[in-house]
Amino acid sequence: MKVFKLIVVSLVFALFFACMEPQGSDSGHDVSMQIKGSDTIVNLIQEWSENFIEQNPMFNISITGGGSGTGFASLINGTCDIAMSSREIEEKERILARSENVEPIEFKIGLDGLAVIVNKNNPVNKLTLEQLRDIFMSKVTNWKELGGEDRRIVILSRESNSGTHMFFKECVLRNNDKNSKNEFSTQSLMMSSSQAIYDEVYQNPNALGYVGMGFVNEGVKSVSVAMNAENEYFCPTAKDIVSGMYPISRPLYLYTNGKPQGVIKMFIDYALSTAGQKIVLKANFVPLGN
């Protein structure tokens, strides 16, 4: 089983001259870059960084997860050069950024389908958005109500600082209705990472959770999802995400403070290049222009 890890990874190589010093670096010698934010894409960013440094062995790159909200907070307070996010920056975050003379610039780096995962031994294979809403709001609490066994559903959610948490709430619980006040049930177990959700579903036959499609492999089962019982069910595949048929899809982002320069621009350019987008596909996300 392929294991995904939440990582704080430091990739350290040789020194570089001061004239190439990137935005956000305080060092007059090392060319270093801090990337913080979304746990969903931390493994993708790590692989980009490893390949980037192979080609440019004079750079230092430090990658830290913690959630999209953490990434934006770090960009605003000047403790990272790039924020990685699985959601768009919120207006209140833009207002706060402006108050700190920070100008968040957005780069779309790929597409993701949020996979709803269950244990491999769970007989339930498909769910509608309404059923998912009812599960995560504890209106449906037993798998037998969904065609499964007589077992209590264990609800797994990301913590509120997660962009994945926010997107799932807006898309599924609130059905993209800005006036909705629907919230996750207090019975939900708030997990610190996508990996934690995967691990719990892998070993718990009663569990159900949601993760970025890059976290799905043969160890768990991704259920197909439909808008309603009258519509066709779709799985989070590249084809159905690009076509818009899979109903829980979203872009993935990097944000910089102002127009990127130096090593930060080089890294963004690499992420959007043909080579970088091949790694998006390798990480089980959907490349741009797919």
Side-chain angles (χ1 to χ4, degrees), residues 148-166:
E149 298 178 358
D150 185 8
R151 295 173 178 267
R152 181 179 66 86
I153 301 173
V154 177
I155 310 168
L156 307 177
S157 173
R158 288 295 310 280
E159 294 175 328
S160 59
N161 195 47
S162 160
T164 300
H165 168 105
M166 294 181 66

Side-chain angles (χ1 to χ4, degrees), residues 44 238 276-287 290:
L44 166 62
Q277 289 296 297
K278 285 181 179 179
I279 295 175
V280 173
L281 182 63
K282 182 181 176 182
N284 294 324
F285 295 110
V286 181
N290 189 65

Side-chain angles (χ1 to χ4, degrees), residues 72-231:
F72 289 127
S74 299
L75 189 69
I76 292 167
N77 66 29
T79 57
C80 78
D81 301 293
I82 298 177
M84 44 187 175
S85 181
S86 58
R87 62 168 174 85
E88 290 184 348
I89 188 170
E90 295 185 314
E91 183 58 26
K92 63 182 180 182
E93 291 166 326
R94 284 196 181 276
I95 292 171
L96 179 59
R98 285 195 293 269
S99 73
E100 298 294 332
N101 295 316
V102 171
E103 180 190 3
I105 301 296
E106 176 183 287
F107 297 89
K108 186 185 295 184
I109 57 168
L111 303 174
D112 180 27
L114 273 191
V116 178
I117 57 173
V118 298
N119 187 272
K120 287 176 65 175
N121 295 320
N122 191 326
V124 174
N125 295 308
K126 60 183 183 179
L127 294 167
T128 66
L129 288 180
E130 182 178 7
Q131 287 173 321
L132 286 171
R133 191 176 306 120
D134 288 345
I135 291 169
F136 281 92
M137 296 181 68
S138 288
K139 295 180 180 179
V140 171
T141 58
N142 195 298
W143 282 112
K144 69 179 180 181
E145 300 176 72
L146 304 165
E149 298 178 358
D150 185 8
R151 295 173 178 267
R152 181 179 66 86
I153 301 173
V154 177
I155 310 168
L156 307 177
S157 173
R158 288 295 310 280
E159 294 175 328
S160 59
N161 195 47
S162 160
T164 300
H165 168 105
M166 294 181 66
F167 179 80
F168 193 87
K169 179 169 69 175
E170 295 300 326
C171 181
V172 178
L173 271 65
R174 298 181 175 178
N175 198 28
N176 293 314
D177 179 359
K178 296 297 183 181
N179 296 317
S180 174
K181 302 299 182 184
N182 288 349
E183 292 288 346
F184 285 94
S185 166
T186 56
Q187 301 302 309
S188 301
L189 300 179
M190 297 298 180
M191 312 298 280
S192 61
S193 66
S194 296
Q195 183 64 47
I197 289 180
Y198 175 95
D199 291 342
E200 181 64 21
V201 170
Y202 177 77
Q203 61 89 31
N204 187 339
N206 304 329
L208 171 143
Y210 55 89
V211 295
M213 60 190 292
F215 278 83
V216 179
N217 59 40
E218 68 279 359
V220 297
K221 181 169 66 174
S222 177
V223 302
S224 55
V225 178
M227 294 292 292
N228 54 58
E230 288 72 43
N231 286 75

Side-chain angles (χ1 to χ4, degrees), residues 46-86:
Q46 182 197 1
E47 188 153 0
W48 270 344
S49 298
E50 291 171 350
N51 283 269
F52 181 75
I53 288 176
E54 283 182 7
Q55 301 173 31
N56 304 278
M58 66 289 293
F59 300 135
N60 304 334
I61 301 179
S62 176
I63 306 167
T64 309
S68 300
T70 297
F72 289 127
S74 299
L75 189 69
I76 292 167
N77 66 29
T79 57
C80 78
D81 301 293
I82 298 177
M84 44 187 175
S85 181
S86 58

Side-chain angles (χ1 to χ4, degrees), residues 228-247:
N228 54 58
E230 288 72 43
N231 286 75
E232 189 175 352
Y233 290 80
F234 294 93
C235 287
T237 63
K239 175 184 176 182
D240 292 332
I241 289 169
V242 171
S243 69
M245 301 307 293
Y246 184 70

